[in-house]
Amino acid sequence: MYSVREISPQIYWIGGNDRRLELFENLFPLTNGVSYNSYLILDEKTAIVDTVDDAITDQYLENIEHLMQGRELDYLIINHMEPDHCGNIENIIRRYPNVKVVGNNKSFQLFGQFYNMDITKNQMLVGEGDELSLGKHNLKFICAPMVHWPEVMMNFETTTGILFSADAFGTFGALTGNIFDDEVDYKGLYLEEARRYYANIVGKFGAQVQSVFKKIGSYDIKMICSLHGPIFRKDLKLILDLYDKWSRYEAEKEGVVIFYGTMYGNTANTADALANKLADRGVQDIRVYDVSKTHPSYIISDIWKYSHLVAAAPTYNMGLYYPMDNLLHEMIALGVKNRKVSIIGNHSWASAANKLMTERFASMKNMEIIGNTFDMKSRLKDNQENMLDELADAIAASVLKK
Ligand code: FEO
């Protein structure tokens, strides 16, 4: 059975949902699936904007067949060559052998790397600012390199103000039939996952996102159609403002994320005691995570959201407890910066964690250390409470700007 929706006269959402996939990119847990969005324009000329993951091929082809009603497909626009979107290019070309596949040099280079099909005769090369008229509709091509792959493009449909934005402004989370932001509780259902998606997948490329904002700043955008999650047609400002903030590595909120590694509960005990002391001092909405328990993508997402971080972990094998080491490496790889940080080490006979965490944070840009870093021995004792009080005072004063 086909499953499509009209999003504007002659323009249709023809994507689908995968609620079975456990790990997106075999990395990121999906608790509520993911959608792969694709769009079909039925004008004097016909065009598909991106395809979908091969996990939903049957549904996808049924959607296209239903809407095309035997028409020829004139253009297949490839804005992104990652397999969750290019998984059906070969299928489309087999069904519509005369289709023009629209992409840039990088798109076709990547197609050649991923697939064996020779599409030389189908290729239609486009670049920055090129336009493609489909009849009433007109697509303008905007290059968005490294948001988050080098070949990425967006298309601005100049008559309706629709921005086909590739992965940008997308989110984890399957669609529910309500494919528009004004049909769902976006903040309740998708926003946390949109941040997790951004931080972990696009987060490294903030400068490139800012470059795109410069290009599209003057466009009168009425609708944003990304490749994952709801279409924005009401509160575009919400996601545009958040992307601007996220790509500047600015915290959304003054607040504290405590993430700790713990082998026998002693470092966890200190982290919880610190959290209570912060709450006593008026800090609200504190987030506390065990790095061995919570997938790093969720912690990274909150690191993007909040202004203050507390890392606590023991020494392990004369180094840093592995899950904490992994998280800090991810933070470095993603270019996390502009945060206020406090560090608590733990060791029983040789100290390394404290020094290594300090070094890791020092390698990130503009990370300000708050309070006195301390290195406890095995377990914090009641007669050492003053160290925790001093740290809580410093963090609370900074968060609450007292
Ligand atoms: Fe949704 Fe970068 O692929």
Side-chain angles (χ1 to χ4, degrees), residues 82-102:
E82 194 161 7
D84 54 332
H85 308 295
C86 63
N88 273 276
I89 295 177
E90 288 184 314
N91 281 329
I92 297 286
I93 297 173
R94 282 191 201 101
R95 278 165 175 72
Y96 303 101
N98 297 318
V99 67
K100 288 289 173 207
V101 179
V102 184

Side-chain angles (χ1 to χ4, degrees), residues 35-50:
S35 79
Y36 303 110
N37 300 339
S38 172
Y39 304 94
L40 173 62
I41 305 173
L42 291 177
D43 202 331
E44 288 167 30
K45 298 286 186 184
T46 56
I48 286 175
V49 180
D50 286 304

Side-chain angles (χ1 to χ4, degrees), residues 304-322:
W304 235 268
K305 181 176 181 182
Y306 292 98
S307 57
H308 288 68
L309 316 176
V310 179
T315 295
Y316 195 88
N317 273 344
M318 308 297 282
L320 179 56
Y321 191 60
Y322 303 150

Side-chain angles (χ1 to χ4, degrees), residues 95-116:
R95 278 165 175 72
Y96 303 101
N98 297 318
V99 67
K100 288 289 173 207
V101 179
V102 184
N104 56 48
N105 279 322
K106 283 277 180 202
S107 339
F108 295 128
Q109 179 194 322
L110 286 166
F111 184 88
Q113 291 172 206
F114 277 110
Y115 300 103
N116 291 320

